[in-house]
Each structure stands twice: as C-alpha cells, then as structure tokens.
Amino acid sequence: MSARKAANKRNAKLSKGPRTPQGKARSSLNALKHGLTAQLPPYVLEQCKSDHAETLDFVVRQNPGLDLTDGVCILAGRQKLKTRRSQLLDQLASAALLDSTDVMSGLLRELGRLETYERKSHSRWARLIAGA
C-alpha cells in the first residue's frame, strides 16, 4: 500500500459525519444536490413523481416492472442542477457587466463542477434505463 493510500485510510477513520439531528437531516438530503444517491424522504419522492410524471410514465411503458425510486432521485437532482446552472449563468452575466474577473472565475469553477455532476447523473439515468 502506498503512503498516500495509507494516509487516506487513516484520515477516513477520523471522519465521524454529522453528529447533530439537524446535521443528519441536512446531509440526508444530499441526493437533491446531484441526484446520485437515492435516500429521499417520502414527501420529496412524491413531489418529484408529480413533477416528472410524463417522463416516468414513458420510461415505465418502455420498461415494465422497473423500480423508478432511483430514477425519481436522479430526475430531482437534474432539475436542481438546471436551476443552479441558470442562477450561475445569471450571476456570471452580472459579473461580466461589472468586469469582476475574480467573481467570474469562481462562478466558472462552479459551473465546471455542475457539469461533472450532470455527466454522472446522465450516465446513471442511462444505466438505469438500459439495465431494465
């Protein structure tokens, strides 16, 4: 085992995760950020199902018997990503008008991170549909 891998293992053992009920509740909603995990409270799942009913109905017609719980989470995350991208683009346009290069640089970095999540989300959706 390399020194880097050993150091990573030691550091990982120190991580305790959220400790307070508020922190645990907040971290349980991480699926909404990017749609890459499937732990959502029932009320969020129901909202996502109603928001994306047409898409989900189409997928179920194409793949009878498919459990779409994971798909609902992915769609919810993708919607959040679209909303965040729109916000960032608005902020980027404002920063460009103000000629604020530092702000623009930070916004561009965040847009790059969003793109990474979007690619992962798209791949996961494609695997879900193909695996049916």
Side-chain angles (χ1 to χ4, degrees):
M1 182 180 309
S2 71
R4 176 183 279 177
K5 202 170 196 176
N8 283 343
K9 252 187 165 174
R10 283 192 307 275
N11 289 335
K13 288 180 183 178
L14 298 175
S15 176
K16 304 280 192 233
R19 298 173 192 219
T20 65
Q22 295 88 356
K24 290 177 184 181
R26 187 175 59 241
S27 70
S28 73
L29 294 176
N30 282 345
L32 288 176
K33 283 187 182 174
H34 46 63
L36 299 177
T37 61
Q39 283 290 25
L40 288 177
Y43 71 92
V44 174
L45 283 175
E46 291 307 314
Q47 181 64 43
C48 294
K49 284 179 186 175
S50 67
D51 290 349
H52 302 287
E54 191 175 311
T55 301
L56 295 170
D57 287 344
F58 175 78
V59 170
V60 169
R61 280 196 308 273
Q62 301 299 315
N63 305 294
L66 180 66
D67 178 18
L68 279 178
T69 303
D70 198 29
V72 171
C73 295
I74 293 168
L75 290 174
R78 289 171 76 174
Q79 187 61 44
K80 291 267 300 183
L81 288 169
K82 286 180 185 178
T83 301
R84 183 64 185 140
R85 184 185 333 107
S86 176
Q87 292 169 343
L88 286 171
L89 290 172
D90 286 345
Q91 292 173 5
L92 190 61
S94 297
L97 288 174
L98 298 173
D99 201 26
S100 179
T101 55
D102 291 343
V103 173
M104 288 172 49
S105 175
L107 292 170
L108 289 171
R109 275 194 304 276
E110 190 168 348
L111 279 168
R113 288 192 298 268
L114 281 182
E115 184 183 349
T116 300
Y117 282 131
E118 287 171 328
R119 278 196 313 265
K120 288 179 182 180
S121 177
H122 178 75
S123 296
R124 189 160 177 197
W125 177 257
R127 281 194 310 272
L128 176 75
I129 301 305

